[in-house]
Amino acid sequence: MASVQSTAKPSARERLLAAANELFYAEGVQSVGIDRVIEHAGVAKASLYNTFGGKEQLVRAYLDHRHAATADRIMQAVAERDTPREQMLAVFESQGRQFDRPDFRGCAFIRAGAEASPDGLVHEAADTFRGWMRELFTRLAAEAGAADPDALGRQLQLLYDGAGISALMDHDSTVAATSRAAATVLIAAATGASVEA
Protein backbone atom coordinates (compact mmCIF):
# COMPACT_ATOMS: atom_id res chain seq x y z
CA MET A 1 0.00 0.00 0.00
CA ALA A 2 1.37 3.40 -0.93
CA SER A 3 1.99 5.84 1.88
CA VAL A 4 -0.36 8.76 2.14
CA GLN A 5 1.33 12.13 2.15
CA SER A 6 -0.33 15.18 3.60
CA THR A 7 -1.19 17.72 0.95
CA ALA A 8 -2.75 20.14 3.40
CA LYS A 9 -2.10 23.70 2.40
CA PRO A 10 -0.87 25.98 5.19
CA SER A 11 -3.67 27.89 6.87
CA ALA A 12 -4.36 31.53 6.05
CA ARG A 13 -2.85 32.44 9.43
CA GLU A 14 0.36 30.52 8.65
CA ARG A 15 0.63 32.06 5.18
CA LEU A 16 0.04 35.58 6.52
CA LEU A 17 2.67 35.11 9.23
CA ALA A 18 5.18 33.71 6.73
CA ALA A 19 4.58 36.63 4.36
CA ALA A 20 4.78 39.14 7.21
CA ASN A 21 8.01 37.59 8.47
CA GLU A 22 9.63 37.75 5.07
CA LEU A 23 8.45 41.23 4.08
CA PHE A 24 8.52 43.05 7.43
CA TYR A 25 11.98 41.75 8.30
CA ALA A 26 13.46 42.50 4.88
CA GLU A 27 11.88 45.90 4.28
CA GLY A 28 10.53 47.25 7.57
CA VAL A 29 7.14 47.32 9.19
CA GLN A 30 6.16 50.78 7.98
CA SER A 31 7.47 50.28 4.43
CA VAL A 32 5.29 47.27 3.73
CA GLY A 33 1.60 47.87 3.24
CA ILE A 34 -1.03 45.39 4.28
CA ASP A 35 -2.09 44.79 0.67
CA ARG A 36 1.40 43.55 -0.16
CA VAL A 37 1.34 41.09 2.73
CA ILE A 38 -2.08 39.82 1.65
CA GLU A 39 -0.94 39.43 -1.96
CA HIS A 40 2.30 37.71 -0.94
CA ALA A 41 0.37 35.33 1.32
CA GLY A 42 -2.17 34.57 -1.40
CA VAL A 43 -5.17 35.09 0.86
CA ALA A 44 -8.26 37.24 0.76
CA LYS A 45 -8.23 40.58 2.57
CA ALA A 46 -11.00 39.30 4.84
CA SER A 47 -8.66 36.53 6.03
CA LEU A 48 -6.28 39.08 7.49
CA TYR A 49 -8.99 41.00 9.30
CA ASN A 50 -10.77 37.85 10.51
CA THR A 51 -7.50 36.33 11.76
CA PHE A 52 -5.63 39.31 13.15
CA GLY A 53 -7.97 42.29 13.13
CA GLY A 54 -5.55 44.67 11.41
CA LYS A 55 -1.96 45.50 10.57
CA GLU A 56 -0.82 46.32 14.11
CA GLN A 57 -2.07 42.96 15.38
CA LEU A 58 -0.34 41.21 12.46
CA VAL A 59 2.93 42.99 13.25
CA ARG A 60 2.54 41.95 16.90
CA ALA A 61 1.96 38.32 15.85
CA TYR A 62 5.01 38.50 13.54
CA LEU A 63 7.16 39.78 16.42
CA ASP A 64 5.75 37.17 18.83
CA HIS A 65 6.64 34.49 16.27
CA ARG A 66 10.19 35.86 15.92
CA HIS A 67 10.49 36.06 19.71
CA ALA A 68 9.62 32.37 20.04
CA ALA A 69 12.04 31.34 17.27
CA THR A 70 14.88 33.50 18.62
CA ALA A 71 14.32 32.30 22.18
CA ASP A 72 14.38 28.67 20.99
CA ARG A 73 17.64 29.26 19.10
CA ILE A 74 19.29 31.00 22.04
CA MET A 75 18.08 28.53 24.66
CA GLN A 76 19.34 25.62 22.55
CA ALA A 77 22.79 27.25 22.46
CA VAL A 78 22.64 27.89 26.22
CA ALA A 79 21.61 24.29 26.93
CA GLU A 80 24.67 23.01 25.09
CA ARG A 81 27.00 24.65 27.64
CA ASP A 82 27.79 23.57 31.19
CA THR A 83 28.53 26.71 33.19
CA PRO A 84 26.65 30.01 33.47
CA ARG A 85 29.72 31.84 32.13
CA GLU A 86 29.82 29.61 29.05
CA GLN A 87 26.04 29.98 28.69
CA MET A 88 26.25 33.77 28.62
CA LEU A 89 28.93 33.57 25.94
CA ALA A 90 26.79 31.07 24.01
CA VAL A 91 24.16 33.80 23.60
CA PHE A 92 26.73 35.92 21.76
CA GLU A 93 27.90 32.97 19.69
CA SER A 94 24.31 32.21 18.67
CA GLN A 95 23.81 35.85 17.72
CA GLY A 96 27.06 35.88 15.77
CA ARG A 97 25.93 32.97 13.61
CA GLN A 98 23.02 35.14 12.46
CA PHE A 99 25.40 37.84 11.23
CA ASP A 100 26.66 35.57 8.44
CA ARG A 101 23.18 34.87 7.08
CA PRO A 102 22.59 36.50 3.67
CA ASP A 103 19.16 37.68 4.84
CA PHE A 104 20.44 39.28 8.07
CA ARG A 105 18.80 42.68 8.55
CA GLY A 106 19.55 43.32 12.22
CA CYS A 107 17.27 42.93 15.19
CA ALA A 108 13.61 42.75 14.16
CA PHE A 109 12.55 44.07 17.57
CA ILE A 110 14.78 47.13 17.54
CA ARG A 111 13.78 47.93 13.97
CA ALA A 112 10.04 47.51 14.54
CA GLY A 113 10.16 49.25 17.92
CA ALA A 114 11.92 52.25 16.41
CA GLU A 115 9.11 52.60 13.86
CA ALA A 116 6.25 52.12 16.32
CA SER A 117 4.30 54.44 18.56
CA PRO A 118 5.46 54.10 22.18
CA ASP A 119 2.10 52.94 23.49
CA GLY A 120 1.10 50.36 20.87
CA LEU A 121 1.22 46.59 20.46
CA VAL A 122 4.39 46.68 18.39
CA HIS A 123 6.37 48.59 20.99
CA GLU A 124 4.97 46.25 23.64
CA ALA A 125 6.23 43.21 21.69
CA ALA A 126 9.69 44.78 21.33
CA ASP A 127 9.78 45.56 25.06
CA THR A 128 8.73 42.02 25.89
CA PHE A 129 11.59 40.54 23.88
CA ARG A 130 14.13 42.95 25.32
CA GLY A 131 12.87 42.17 28.82
CA TRP A 132 13.28 38.46 28.13
CA MET A 133 16.88 38.98 26.99
CA ARG A 134 17.71 41.09 30.06
CA GLU A 135 16.14 38.51 32.39
CA LEU A 136 18.14 35.72 30.75
CA PHE A 137 21.42 37.60 31.10
CA THR A 138 20.59 38.64 34.68
CA ARG A 139 19.66 35.09 35.72
CA LEU A 140 22.85 33.66 34.21
CA ALA A 141 24.88 36.46 35.81
CA ALA A 142 23.44 35.56 39.22
CA GLU A 143 24.20 31.86 38.64
CA ALA A 144 27.77 32.81 37.67
CA GLY A 145 28.20 34.64 40.98
CA ALA A 146 28.21 38.23 39.72
CA ALA A 147 28.36 40.77 42.54
CA ASP A 148 25.60 42.77 40.82
CA PRO A 149 23.70 40.46 38.43
CA ASP A 150 21.32 43.20 37.32
CA ALA A 151 24.19 45.49 36.29
CA LEU A 152 25.95 42.69 34.39
CA GLY A 153 22.66 41.68 32.74
CA ARG A 154 22.14 45.24 31.50
CA GLN A 155 25.75 45.52 30.30
CA LEU A 156 25.48 42.27 28.35
CA GLN A 157 22.17 43.31 26.82
CA LEU A 158 23.71 46.61 25.74
CA LEU A 159 26.60 44.71 24.18
CA TYR A 160 24.19 42.29 22.47
CA ASP A 161 22.14 45.16 21.03
CA GLY A 162 25.24 47.04 19.92
CA ALA A 163 26.73 43.99 18.23
CA GLY A 164 23.58 43.48 16.17
CA ILE A 165 23.47 47.11 15.12
CA SER A 166 27.18 47.15 14.29
CA ALA A 167 26.95 43.95 12.23
CA LEU A 168 24.07 45.45 10.25
CA MET A 169 25.39 48.98 9.79
CA ASP A 170 29.02 48.02 9.12
CA HIS A 171 28.21 44.90 7.09
CA ASP A 172 30.80 43.13 9.22
CA SER A 173 30.07 39.74 10.72
CA THR A 174 33.44 39.71 12.50
CA VAL A 175 31.88 41.96 15.14
CA ALA A 176 30.66 38.69 16.68
CA ALA A 177 34.18 37.85 17.85
CA THR A 178 34.62 41.36 19.23
CA SER A 179 31.34 41.28 21.17
CA ARG A 180 32.15 37.83 22.58
CA ALA A 181 35.59 39.06 23.70
CA ALA A 182 34.04 42.12 25.36
CA ALA A 183 31.44 39.92 27.07
CA THR A 184 34.25 37.71 28.39
CA VAL A 185 35.93 40.72 30.00
CA LEU A 186 32.67 42.04 31.49
CA ILE A 187 31.77 38.63 32.95
CA ALA A 188 35.24 38.18 34.44
CA ALA A 189 35.18 41.65 36.01
CA ALA A 190 31.68 41.11 37.47
CA THR A 191 32.41 37.64 38.86
CA GLY A 192 36.02 38.08 39.94
CA ALA A 193 37.06 35.25 37.65
CA SER A 194 40.05 35.23 35.35
CA VAL A 195 39.55 36.18 31.72
CA GLU A 196 39.48 33.03 29.64
CA ALA A 197 39.37 32.75 25.86
Side-chain angles (χ1 to χ4, degrees):
M1 177 180 244
S3 65
V4 178
Q5 292 185 0
S6 174
T7 57
K9 188 175 184 178
S11 70
R13 182 179 202 286
E14 292 168 331
R15 287 183 284 157
L16 283 163
L17 276 175
N21 187 51
E22 182 180 334
L23 295 171
F24 290 158
Y25 184 66
E27 300 175 32
V29 169
Q30 296 301 320
S31 300
V32 177
I34 205 68
D35 289 335
R36 250 188 87 217
V37 175
I38 291 166
E39 180 183 341
H40 197 72
V43 300
K45 187 175 268 193
S47 295
L48 176 114
Y49 293 105
N50 291 337
T51 305
F52 295 103
K55 183 176 180 180
E56 186 177 26
Q57 293 87 346
L58 175 61
V59 175
R60 173 65 194 253
Y62 146 73
L63 290 173
D64 289 346
H65 180 74
R66 283 196 81 91
H67 180 151
T70 303
D72 285 348
R73 176 179 47 77
I74 289 172
M75 293 312 293
Q76 181 178 352
V78 167
E80 293 172 356
R81 300 303 169 85
D82 296 325
T83 69
R85 177 194 169 279
E86 293 170 342
Q87 291 171 338
M88 285 183 275
L89 295 175
V91 174
F92 290 93
E93 293 160 4
S94 175
Q95 181 192 39
R97 286 189 288 276
Q98 301 307 300
F99 298 164
D100 286 324
R101 292 175 53 105
D103 62 346
F104 177 71
R105 299 288 182 273
C107 176
F109 306 97
I110 291 173
R111 291 178 62 207
E115 295 182 61
S117 65
D119 56 352
L121 293 175
V122 175
H123 205 272
E124 183 180 287
D127 284 349
T128 298
F129 177 75
R130 292 178 49 70
W132 178 83
M133 283 297 304
R134 189 169 41 257
E135 287 171 14
L136 174 63
F137 280 132
T138 301
R139 177 178 58 80
L140 293 173
E143 292 173 11
D148 187 345
D150 186 58
L152 180 57
R154 288 182 179 281
Q155 290 169 345
L156 293 176
Q157 182 180 27
L158 180 66
L159 183 58
Y160 182 92
D161 289 345
I165 292 168
S166 180
L168 173 66
M169 299 300 292
D170 297 336
H171 307 286
D172 181 8
S173 65
T174 65
V175 72
T178 305
S179 65
R180 187 190 184 285
T184 301
V185 172
L186 286 171
I187 294 165
T191 61
S194 61
V195 176
E196 300 172 20

